[in-house]
Amino acid sequence: MEKRSDNLIQAAGAAVPGKQGFDHLIVGAGFAGSVLAERLASDGQTQVLIVDKRPHIGGNAYDRYDDSGVLIHPYGPHIFHTNSADIFEYLSRFTAWRPYQHRVLASVDGQRVPLPINLDTINQLYGLQLTSFEMETWLESVAEKRDEIRNSEDVIVNKVGRELYNKFFRGYTRKQWALDPSELDASVTARVPTRTNRDDRYFTDTYQAMPLHGYTRMFERMLAHPNIKVMLNTDYRAIVDLVPWRHMVYSGPVDAFFNFKHGKLPYRSIRFEHRTVAQAEFQPVGTVNYPNDYGYTRISEFKHITGQQHAQTSIVYEYPCAEGDPYYPVPRAQNAALYRLYEAEAEALDNVSFVGRLATYKYYNMDQVVGQSLATYKRICQRSAEAASKPAGAALARAPSSVVA
């Protein structure tokens, strides 16, 4: 059922509390929606309905066993890492962990070298024998210093110079975003460090681990509360004015919620090509990047990531594209300005909370989404407590959303 955005907003504004229906309607069963569903049902003892248009829970972090029996991530590799003890301890309620430190190689000049760039990367690539101290001096000699860091190109050439920028970053970024790094916000390449030691871990967070039995099992435990009802294969617009509810948590694309009234926010999508190979191992690490060759950006092998033992192995090629499910908000100044128009619309809705990468147009990692969801839960509880403290009759009763045409 397709609904105009004004009808949807009218439905949101008309929803009222009551003993029938649900206290919370949650759109999206990924990290944002599932964390909030669990918190609201467990601590608030309220009734929660969580809906997702996909046939499974877990959002993009969903994992499953393929036909060969290998545990795969259908939407590309999801590596959990965080510096937050609170976030790690919260998720530990729903899963045991397998320690895992992700390692990435980049295919450059016919060699596979460590990424992020470190001491071994430079020594291997150029046939040198630099020490850590000497590498600092070497990087200073090749860097093109910028007085002002304005974009992603400036970030890299300021640190490692033009040649390494061309070898490792320019081609990869152009494939990933269909834009030159000079056209992207500095935050894109600022995520990738440069090291003068031999640390070849992709992440350096305090907590680096994978759910022992997979993400889907973790989400199943998270949503197992009797106060949580789950509807899959369901577009929330089909039920938003049929099922009584008083508060919505929305984790889908924010521009779609408002029916693109200010224009479409740009996102990048990915086409995943999964393959099973009749050998125990395909590559030496979890991910190999291809910044300059081929149409794909990287190949990931899941058994490195999950720790599974199996006679065969499953891999995935990632081909960035413009069309398809939205995965990555495109970080550019004009896109941020467009998002602020939608943000103002979202803030005007008292009983809808917008949470997650797509709903807030932010390039969040998984742990950041969990943190955002836990913070949103506290704000919802605070608003509920403030509303409960108001004198009876202070709030004007409104018609339930089911009366909206």
Side-chain angles (χ1 to χ4, degrees):
M1 179 188 302
E2 183 64 28
K3 293 184 65 63
R4 300 187 326 137
S5 61
D6 53 353
N7 281 356
L8 177 57
I9 296 169
Q10 184 180 356
V16 295
K19 294 187 177 180
Q20 295 182 346
F22 295 89
D23 298 283
H24 304 279
L25 169 62
I26 298 183
V27 180
F31 268 107
S34 296
V35 168
L36 273 158
E38 187 280 328
R39 288 289 77 212
L40 291 165
S42 298
D43 278 9
Q45 289 297 309
T46 55
Q47 297 295 317
V48 177
L49 172 63
I50 184 167
V51 302
D52 200 297
K53 65 181 181 180
R54 287 172 170 169
H56 58 74
I57 60 174
N60 292 340
Y62 164 75
D63 53 17
R64 64 174 179 83
Y65 290 90
D66 64 13
D67 292 341
S68 64
V70 177
L71 182 62
I72 66 169
H73 299 176
Y75 306 102
H78 282 68
I79 317 299
F80 188 81
H81 55 99
T82 186
N83 283 316
S84 170
D86 290 341
I87 290 172
F88 190 74
E89 289 169 6
Y90 169 74
L91 292 177
S92 297
R93 302 178 191 182
F94 313 105
T95 185
W97 298 94
R98 171 186 173 261
Y100 173 72
Q101 294 182 328
H102 194 49
R103 286 173 169 82
V104 176
L105 297 175
S107 178
V108 174
D109 293 348
Q111 304 182 66
R112 289 178 173 178
V113 294
L115 190 72
I117 293 171
N118 70 3
L119 179 62
D120 287 337
T121 309
I122 299 304
N123 283 339
Q124 183 178 337
L125 199 59
Y126 293 103
L128 301 174
Q129 294 183 334
L130 301 176
T131 64
S132 291
F133 177 76
E134 290 169 336
M135 183 171 169
E136 290 184 20
T137 305
W138 187 87
L139 286 174
E140 287 290 328
S141 73
V142 299
E144 295 181 9
K145 291 301 180 182
R146 295 287 192 265
D147 294 331
E148 180 182 0
I149 303 298
R150 298 164 300 176
N151 53 55
S152 280
E153 177 181 311
D154 290 341
V155 170
I156 300 303
V157 298
N158 183 70
K159 289 194 296 186
V160 302
R162 181 70 52 179
E163 184 170 314
L164 291 173
Y165 163 75
N166 286 330
K167 288 182 184 294
F168 287 92
F169 295 97
R170 187 167 188 259
Y172 191 95
T173 303
R174 287 170 68 90
K175 282 195 283 187
Q176 179 71 23
W177 301 99
L179 292 167
D180 193 81
S182 62
E183 302 176 272
L184 286 166
D185 187 83
S187 63
V188 175
T189 50
R191 294 164 63 95
V192 183
T194 300
R195 301 177 184 141
T196 58
N197 58 22
R198 301 185 66 188
D199 187 351
D200 65 345
R201 298 173 300 164
Y202 199 74
F203 307 109
T204 58
D205 300 64
T206 304
Y207 304 94
Q208 301 183 52
M210 296 295 294
L212 184 61
H213 302 293
Y215 285 104
T216 300
R217 288 279 190 90
M218 181 183 74
F219 282 104
E220 287 172 350
R221 294 188 65 183
M222 196 178 294
L223 297 176
H225 196 282
N227 288 358
I228 299 175
K229 308 302 178 189
V230 180
M231 291 181 66
L232 301 176
N233 294 301
T234 301
D235 186 331
Y236 79 101
R237 293 174 183 262
I239 56 95
V240 69
D241 61 344
L242 301 177
V243 177
W245 54 274
R246 66 181 178 88
H247 173 259
M248 178 189 289
V249 173
Y250 179 80
S251 65
V254 64
D255 54 349
F257 183 92
F258 294 103
N259 205 28
F260 311 104
K261 65 185 295 184
H262 299 296
K264 192 171 183 179
L265 282 166
Y267 295 91
R268 288 293 283 172
S269 188
I270 304 175
R271 177 172 64 84
F272 300 102
E273 185 178 299
H274 289 267
R275 297 182 188 177
T276 298
V277 183
Q279 59 196 57
E281 183 178 285
F282 179 79
Q283 59 192 29
V285 294
T287 297
V288 177
N289 283 11
Y290 293 84
N292 303 308
D293 303 319
Y294 311 111
Y296 47 85
T297 51
R298 61 183 183 174
I299 304 173
S300 294
E301 184 174 8
F302 296 107
K303 285 168 54 182
H304 289 286
I305 298 167
T306 64
Q308 183 183 8
Q309 300 296 312
H310 197 286
Q312 299 185 78
T313 193
S314 293
I315 58 177
V316 62
Y317 295 74
E318 296 185 33
Y319 294 84
C321 50
E323 301 300 324
D325 289 343
Y327 289 105
Y328 301 106
V330 181
R332 303 181 76 188
Q334 57 265 50
N335 300 342
L338 178 57
Y339 165 67
R340 285 192 289 272
L341 298 178
Y342 286 113
E343 184 180 35
E345 299 273 0
E347 290 174 350
L349 297 177
D350 291 335
N351 59 343
V352 183
S353 298
F354 292 79
V355 188
R357 178 184 283 193
L358 301 181
T360 57
Y361 206 68
K362 298 289 190 301
Y363 192 2
Y364 284 141
N365 293 325
M366 290 183 290
D367 68 315
Q368 293 173 309
V369 174
V370 174
Q372 184 192 39
S373 300
L374 294 173
T376 300
Y377 166 69
K378 291 179 180 178
R379 288 195 295 271
I380 292 171
C381 290
Q382 182 178 355
R383 287 199 300 266
S384 296
E386 291 171 354
S389 67
K390 292 180 180 179
L396 181 63
R398 293 172 293 182
S401 61
S402 58
V403 303
V404 179

